Every structure is written in structure tokens, then in C-alpha cells.
Amino acid sequence: MPNDPERPRRVTVEPGGPVLVEGPVEVVGDDGTVTTSRRFAAAICTCRRSRTYPWCDTSHRRRVKKGEETS
Amino acid sequence: MTTTMDPRAAATARPLLPEPRGELSGAVVRALRGGDLGPWPATVGDPYGDDLQLALYLLYELHYQGFDGVPDDREWDPALLGARRTLERRFLDALRADVPHDGDAEGALAGLLVEPVGHDENSVSHHLKRDGELWQLREYAALRSLYHLKEADPHAWVIPRLRGRAKAAMVAIEFDEFGGGRPEEIHAQLFADLMTDLGLDTTYGHYLEAAPAEALATVNLMSLFGLHRALRGALVGHFASVEVTSSPGSRRLAEALRRAGAGPAAQRFYDEHVEADAVHEQVVRRDVVGGLLADEPHLEADIAFGVHATGHLEDRLGAHLLRAWRQGRSALRVPLAEPPTTTG
Ligand code: FES
Ligand SMILES: [Fe+2]
Ligand SMILES: [Fe+2]
């Protein structure tokens, strides 16, 4: 739907996080397997830590010990 | 009565009015049964207590599904709206007094964008993942059903109050919450399927009687923010904080359900939220919060307030649940019926 010459597909890069791509989208893995998301946008993991790769599962988030400043 | 598991019956039946928990909720139940609201007590007591929270819950519920035997147009009954006003003022004043006033929306959300190293003993989802027992997961789902069976509904009220970027992004997320055009994928339906897997009753409002004040307050907060245009900033802050905290919490709950041997639908609800809310988090921060701040910068303090108030009430609920469960007792006001078939 959003991918034509008048309206190119929009991709948004979150620093330190996923790449957001307007959906629906297919991701082709190293081994050729294709994963599909029908969502209005898909968050593609760039940190490789996701347990639901290729989709971001927020595993990229910073981890803090108890009492450590969070801001 | 309301113990049917037929999903169509569950969707159309109106909930029964619950037992009052004091003077205020007693007056509201009486009024909803057709009686007089009567003289309203001069002081309304504990803003987080069972009586006030139930009274407020009943008045708000008129804007959603209503109750069995209560005419639909009582939703706009001036006497009931006046009563609601007194109660929600008290609730709102308490929240404003009890949460930080930093006025910093991005800072408030940044505090939620980190994960603890290892086990967090004050977190319900951490507890359920590591030590949760099936009866605790069933209690958790029963309590959360007050919200999840109307998941995303109170947030839809903000749509006419937003413009441009914030509106487009909010609607895109809500479309996802409402199943992307497929009724079987509406998040509220996925939650009903989870409840069925856990042998719970999926009838809307069924667990109201069982819900303690701490659980009612988390739902009343969304209704309060959703129904008031003046609180649109707080509603957006609330929504953002739910979306930001949901993914990692859902992962832990999905694992807890797998470990407890719950069925596939139960796991599916939380698996879906791991993936969906990793997307929603990005969109809500960048475009809903960012868009609203660009459009109405004076709402920043309200957005921060919405984030903090959500955390405050979630912490209260978490403390209540963990206190009860650590003592080996039910966190509900009414114990759950045993599931029809026991899972191993
Ligand atoms: S980018 Fe989010 S989990 Fe990898
Ligand atoms: Fe959802
Ligand atoms: Fe969501």
C-alpha cells in the first residue's frame, strides 16, 4: 500500500534501537528464510540480541543495576 | 447466570451490579437500581480505598458497557455525573499530591526505557516468571481482565482531541490493538482466549467483585484520563508508559505461562505484545508524544504526570499482589472457582 513512486516507503532509524519500516514487510534471513509482518509498521532488530529476531523485542535496552541512576 | 463460556453470550450479556463496599458505592448501586442517590457524604474518605474506587468504577462503566437492568441513558444523568465529579476530584488530587512534579515528559519515559539487571523482587512479572504458580497466574489474569477485556477502549476517547502527527500515529496503534481489521485478533479477544486457556470466565465484568481497590484504581485512571479532554496530555502519558513497559513484561509473562503449562492461546496474548509493543513503543514516543508536544507544548507537565501516575498505581497493585502471594493467600476479594479441567 504505501510503496509507490509518489509515496515511497518510509524507514525510521532509532539510534541504539530497531529500524522502523512501514508494513507489511518481509525480511529475508541469511539462510533465505522469509519472515512476514502484516503490521502497519515493523521494528527490525539491529542489535542481534532479540529473541524474536528479525523483530525487535526491546532486548537492546540498557540494563541497570539496582540504585543506579536511570537518566 | 453469568457463568457461560459461550463467547457470543459473553459479549452481549451486561454485567451484574456488584455488592457495595461502603457508603459511596452503596449510594451509587442504589441509584443505579433506580433509587435516589441520596445525600452524598461530606467527606469521601480514602481516595485509593475500596469504597471510592468501586463507586467511581461503576460510574465510569456507564460509558462502556453499562450494567444489567440499568438504562443506557443513565450515562448522562446529571446527578450521577455530579457524584462522579466529586469522586474523581478526590482521586486526581491524591494522585497529583503523590507523584513527582518534574514536568519532564521525555525524562519520565526515559526512566522506563531501562531494564534491571537480573531479578527484580518488586516486580509482579519477574515474580511470576521465576516463582509464579498457576493459581497466581489465574488470579493475575482475572484481575487484569477488567482492563484487557476492554483493552485500548479508553484510549480511543483521545482521538478527537489530537491533531496531525499525534492523531495519525495514535490511530495506527489503536488499529493494531483492535486487530488490524480482524475481529479474532482484537487484543481484547486474544485476552479472552487466554482466559479460556486458564479456565476463567470470559464474561465482561465477571471479576469485578473479586478485584481489590488497587486493581480498580489502575482502570479508573484510564477512564479518568480518557473521558476528560482537559487530561488529554495525561492520557497520552499513560498510554506511552503502558506501551514502553509492555514488551519486556509480556516476555516474562509469556515465559511464566509456558512454565506453568498454560495453553497456546494464553502464551499467544503475551507473545503478540512482545512484538507489537516493541513497535508501538517507537511510534508512541516519536509521533504520539512528540507530535502532541510539538502541537501543544504546554501539555508536557501533564504527559509526565500521566506517566508517573500510571507507575504509582501499578506499584501499589504490584505491592498488594506480592504481599498476598508471599503469604500464600489469594490477592482477590473472592476466591476463584477451580478450573473445569485441571492443567498439570
Ligand atoms: S533492536 Fe531491539 S532487540 Fe535488537
Ligand atoms: Fe495490546
Ligand atoms: Fe500496544
Side-chain angles (χ1 to χ4, degrees):
Chain A
M1 162 187 71
N3 195 19
D4 65 64
E6 274 73 58
R7 199 197 172 294
R9 189 177 303 281
R10 181 171 293 174
V11 174
T12 314
V13 181
E14 164 84 2
V19 169
L20 214 65
V21 183
E22 285 180 315
V25 65
E26 288 182 351
V27 176
V28 184
D30 301 338
D31 58 354
T33 48
V34 176
T35 321
T36 307
S37 169
R38 291 196 308 110
R39 224 174 281 289
F40 69 96
I44 298 174
C45 173
T46 60
C47 74
R48 290 268 171 176
R49 267 179 290 181
S50 174
R51 284 197 267 158
T52 52
Y53 195 83
W55 314 126
C56 167
D57 70 352
T58 71
S59 293
H60 61 271
R61 285 190 188 171
R62 200 158 67 83
R63 305 208 160 246
V64 289
K65 294 205 186 67
K66 259 189 209 99
E68 196 182 312
E69 267 318 304
T70 53
S71 67
Chain B
M1 277 212 334
T2 53
T3 45
T4 171
M5 299 295 280
D6 171 2
R8 264 170 318 160
T12 52
R14 294 266 179 263
L16 300 176
L17 282 166
E19 284 299 314
R21 300 183 195 176
E23 239 186 312
L24 300 165
S25 49
V28 171
V29 167
R30 214 177 322 114
L32 292 177
R33 291 221 160 94
D36 228 357
L37 190 60
W40 202 236
T43 55
V44 294
D46 180 1
Y48 302 119
D50 269 301
D51 190 26
L52 185 145
Q53 290 297 331
L54 180 63
L56 200 48
Y57 193 92
L58 299 176
L59 292 167
Y60 282 147
E61 205 48 43
L62 299 176
H63 299 282
Y64 298 94
Q65 303 280 322
F67 291 97
D68 189 41
V70 178
D72 289 348
D73 63 0
R74 296 301 299 280
E75 179 186 1
W76 298 105
D77 178 328
L80 295 178
L81 291 173
R84 197 188 92 189
R85 191 75 186 132
T86 328
L87 302 178
E88 57 189 4
R89 279 247 166 88
R90 179 94 176 94
F91 184 35
L92 192 56
D93 287 348
L95 291 169
R96 292 225 189 255
D98 291 345
V99 306
H101 285 258
D102 50 26
D104 172 8
E106 226 172 82
L109 287 173
L112 304 175
L113 282 169
V114 291
E115 281 297 301
V117 175
H119 183 75
D120 177 356
E121 58 189 19
N122 295 318
S123 152
V124 173
S125 62
H126 276 91
H127 163 80
L128 288 173
K129 177 190 161 189
R130 200 184 68 175
D131 307 314
E133 295 177 38
L134 187 58
W135 66 270
Q136 295 169 344
L137 284 160
R138 294 182 76 238
E139 290 201 348
Y140 185 75
L143 286 184
R144 289 295 192 186
S145 73
L146 293 189
Y147 169 59
H148 284 308
L149 290 179
K150 59 176 178 239
E151 186 172 325
D153 284 351
H155 308 99
W157 280 319
V158 87
I159 293 169
R161 293 141 191 189
L162 300 176
R163 290 182 296 197
R165 183 149 68 99
K167 182 192 280 254
M170 187 73 196
V171 171
I173 299 172
E174 286 283 85
F175 182 63
D176 227 14
E177 301 290 347
F178 294 128
R182 298 191 180 186
E184 69 278 12
E185 288 176 18
I186 296 178
H187 286 183
Q189 181 59 49
L190 298 184
F191 195 81
D193 299 343
L194 167 149
M195 293 177 78
T196 303
D197 261 5
L198 289 173
L200 295 168
D201 189 323
T202 62
T203 312
Y204 183 90
H206 180 82
Y207 293 104
L208 175 55
E209 201 79 76
E214 290 83 356
L216 300 182
T218 61
V219 185
N220 284 337
L221 184 78
M222 310 176 202
S223 305
L224 168 68
F225 290 167
L227 285 166
H228 290 266
R229 183 170 61 88
L231 294 172
R232 62 195 177 284
L235 188 280
V236 162
H238 163 78
F239 190 60
S241 101
V242 170
E243 296 296 346
V244 166
T245 50
S246 165
S247 258
S250 295
R251 156 66 44 76
R252 289 187 284 274
L253 290 166
E255 281 175 25
L257 287 161
R258 257 185 280 282
R259 195 171 50 72
Q267 298 163 38
R268 162 108 205 276
F269 175 82
Y270 289 111
D271 283 336
E272 158 67 10
H273 279 85
V274 171
E275 188 187 313
D277 290 337
V279 175
H280 297 175
E281 175 222 311
Q282 300 295 330
V283 179
V284 78
R285 284 197 296 127
R286 186 186 311 271
D287 291 324
V288 183
V289 173
L292 183 61
L293 277 174
D295 207 24
E296 302 195 82
H298 60 281
L299 292 182
E300 172 154 24
D302 274 356
I303 298 174
F305 168 65
V307 175
H308 290 309
T310 305
H312 173 61
L313 294 180
E314 284 297 326
D315 287 350
R316 288 180 56 94
L317 173 60
H320 169 85
L321 296 177
L322 293 174
R323 199 181 314 124
W325 291 343
R326 286 193 176 125
Q327 292 167 7
R329 59 184 171 81
S330 168
L332 306 183
R333 301 177 78 253
V334 182
L336 293 176
E338 283 300 312
T341 51
T342 38
T343 19

